[in-house]
């Protein structure tokens, strides 16, 4: 039976991916240092004889045997990855190098989860995979954005030099049940604030945009990509673009209609707009998101209500 190693398996996307793999009867090894992940998942998975947990960092050496590697380990919320930027850069560079060497030695198949951050301040919308990216090295976000770029570069170097089978997904903003209450990303913050009837914290003027993809769609895309022969970076996300102010209004309306917003200075040096082109992924994987923002938010709000109760 094929063995799947999921790095960062206790994180938001990793935990949903493991759920899916386990439910399909696959063997899963989760490698996670529990720094930003949620260890509560372990109680559920550890009952399964086809699951194994290894507590550890991708920077360390591990003797783990696997056939498929899903490399997700890296703090993903700006709040987390900016808290120790040098560690973030090391996880992306040294950690990915380490993990790719493990995969090379075992001739494993690799899927690396990159990010829309590699595009930086993209002027052309929607963002397609050919955009070269505009990111300052002086930006605090570079530990993540350039970190993801060097990690992608390593993937393609291993592909060329060692013939390693590598796939790279550029994942756009993702949300859904299982986002940690204190995750710090916008949907988690807004739902929590609305449920607690405190003003929703909007950074800047709220005119910046994002496009939010529901978690089950992202997991579908990752699984299709791993099973495909595609060898280049590919976007995974939802192309419905919304301003942060309108997102705040939408979430507020769905919960208590307090209509209270608190505008704060943005210190996150962030891209003004973000929206994926899904042309390539539609063509290559025949994939498109199924869950719209309205349905996805309803499911997420319900899950947050249960967590809070
Ligand atoms: N944002 C906000 N209030 C918050 C958290 C985030 O207005 O409490 C904004 C943030 O400035 C950005 C967008 O929401 O424009 C998405 O932020 P997030 O941290 O979720 O992810 P990013 O896309 O920046 O990686």
């Amino acid at each position: 039976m094929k063995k799947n190693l999921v790095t960062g398996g206790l994180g938001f996307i990793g935990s949903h991916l493991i759920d899916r793999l386990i439910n399909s009867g696959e063997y899963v090894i989760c490698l996670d240092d529990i720094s930003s992940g949620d260890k509560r998942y372990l109680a559920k998975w550890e009952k399964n004889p086809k699951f194994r947990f290894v507590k550890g960092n991708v920077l360390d050496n591990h003797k783990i045997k696997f056939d498929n590697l899903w490399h997700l380990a890296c703090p993903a919320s700006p709040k987390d990855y900016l808290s120790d930027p040098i560690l973030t850069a090391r996880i992306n560079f040294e950690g990915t190098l380490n993990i790719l060497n493990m995969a090379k030695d075992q001739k494993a198949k690799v899927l690396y989860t990159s990010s829309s951050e590699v595009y930086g301040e993209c002027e052309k919308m929607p963002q397609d995979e050919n955009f070269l990216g505009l990111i300052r090295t002086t930006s605090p976000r570079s530990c993540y954005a350039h970190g993801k770029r060097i990690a992608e570069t390593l993937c393609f170097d291993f592909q060329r030099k060692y013939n390693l089978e590598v796939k790279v997904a550029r994942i756009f903003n993702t949300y859904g049940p299982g986002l940690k209450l204190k995750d710090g990303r916008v949907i988690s913050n807004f739902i929590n604030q609305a449920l607690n009837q405190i003003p929703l914290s909007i950074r800047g003027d709220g005119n910046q945009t994002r496009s939010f993809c529901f978690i089950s769609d992202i997991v579908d895309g990752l699984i299709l990509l791993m099973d495909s022969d595609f060898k280049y970076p590919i976007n995974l996300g939802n192309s419905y673009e919304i301003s942060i102010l309108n997102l705040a209004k939408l979430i507020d309306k769905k919960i208590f209609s307090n209509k209270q917003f608190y505008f704060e200075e943005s210190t996150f040096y962030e891209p003004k707009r973000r929206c994926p082109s899904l042309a390539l992924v539609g063509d290559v994987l025949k994939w498109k998101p199924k869950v719209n923002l309205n349905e996805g938010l309803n499911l997420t709000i319900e899950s947050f209500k249960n967590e809070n109760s």
Side-chain angles (χ1 to χ4, degrees):
M1 175 178 292
K2 286 212 163 162
K3 288 188 173 168
N4 295 276
L5 172 62
V6 181
T7 74
L10 296 181
F12 172 52
I13 298 181
S15 58
H16 280 270
L17 175 65
I18 291 184
D19 270 341
R20 186 75 69 86
L21 293 170
I22 286 180
N23 289 339
S24 313
E26 302 226 15
Y27 192 104
V28 178
I29 304 148
C30 169
L31 173 66
D32 199 297
D33 63 0
I34 327 189
S35 52
S36 55
D38 190 339
K39 63 177 183 238
R40 285 178 303 174
Y41 294 110
L42 292 176
K44 174 171 66 164
W45 299 330
E46 276 178 341
K47 293 182 195 127
N48 191 314
K50 287 194 271 181
F51 175 81
R52 187 156 77 88
F53 178 62
V54 178
K55 182 169 186 287
N57 199 296
V58 286
L59 297 169
D60 300 329
N61 286 323
H62 302 280
K63 287 198 169 44
I64 306 173
K65 292 239 168 301
F66 55 90
D67 306 281
N68 289 349
L69 167 67
W70 310 77
H71 178 31
L72 286 78
C74 181
S77 169
K79 166 178 92 53
D80 292 333
Y81 70 66
L82 293 171
S83 73
D84 190 344
I86 295 173
L87 179 63
T88 302
R90 288 187 64 212
I91 288 169
N92 282 314
F93 180 32
E94 293 173 42
T96 302
L97 180 60
N98 192 28
I99 287 290
L100 287 173
N101 271 317
M102 283 168 64
K104 179 195 85 178
D105 293 343
Q106 308 189 42
K107 297 189 171 45
K109 191 158 82 160
V110 179
L111 187 150
Y112 173 60
T113 53
S114 182
S115 163
S116 54
E117 282 281 324
V118 300
Y119 297 123
E121 279 292 343
C122 183
E123 281 144 12
K124 190 171 147 259
M125 289 291 147
Q127 290 157 318
D128 69 53
E129 290 81 351
N130 290 321
F131 183 69
L132 297 181
L134 268 180
I135 306 154
R136 289 175 205 279
T137 52
T138 49
S139 162
R141 284 174 96 98
S142 287
C143 59
Y144 187 81
H146 280 301
K148 290 280 176 185
R149 291 176 71 88
I150 188 67
E152 282 197 17
T153 304
L154 285 170
C155 288
F156 294 109
D157 283 333
F158 272 71
Q159 193 182 71
R160 278 184 291 265
K161 184 158 183 187
Y162 302 113
N163 217 12
L164 191 69
E165 190 174 341
V166 180
K167 290 111 206 329
V168 172
R170 290 182 177 158
I171 300 179
F172 284 65
N173 295 64
T174 305
Y175 72 103
L179 261 179
K180 283 199 305 185
L181 298 179
K182 298 210 167 113
D183 175 87
R185 276 174 284 191
V186 67
I187 289 192
S188 162
N189 279 4
F190 284 175
I191 296 178
N192 261 318
Q193 289 160 342
L195 287 176
N196 290 300
Q197 301 203 47
I198 54 176
L200 276 58
S201 57
I202 296 173
R203 293 190 194 136
D205 58 11
N207 287 324
Q208 72 272 33
T209 71
R210 294 293 186 270
S211 312
F212 296 94
C213 190
F214 193 66
I215 182 66
S216 56
D217 285 327
I218 291 292
V219 173
D220 289 346
L222 292 175
I223 286 177
L224 282 172
L225 181 60
M226 184 62 116
D227 290 341
S228 79
D229 295 327
F230 195 66
K231 289 187 177 162
Y232 304 96
I234 197 158
N235 288 344
L236 285 181
N238 191 309
S239 55
Y240 177 73
E241 189 181 2
I242 184 169
S243 74
I244 295 305
L245 180 60
N246 284 338
L247 177 73
K249 288 181 181 163
L250 182 62
I251 291 177
D252 173 69
K253 201 167 150 204
K254 282 181 181 293
I255 300 180
F256 282 122
S257 276
N258 271 346
K259 295 194 185 64
Q260 284 189 32
F261 307 114
Y262 164 73
F263 289 85
E264 61 186 23
E265 194 190 343
S266 178
T267 52
F268 281 73
Y269 305 90
E270 52 172 81
K272 291 272 172 297
R273 283 183 72 186
R274 188 180 284 155
C275 177
S277 161
L278 301 180
L280 183 68
V281 69
D283 189 34
V284 172
L285 301 183
K286 311 289 171 233
W287 174 93
K288 63 175 181 195
K290 295 182 191 135
V291 183
N292 67 32
L293 187 61
N294 196 35
E295 296 161 336
L297 283 178
N298 291 344
L299 293 166
T300 311
I301 290 167
E302 276 317 301
S303 81
F304 271 56
K305 280 184 185 162
N306 294 335
E307 283 271 313
N308 270 327
S309 59

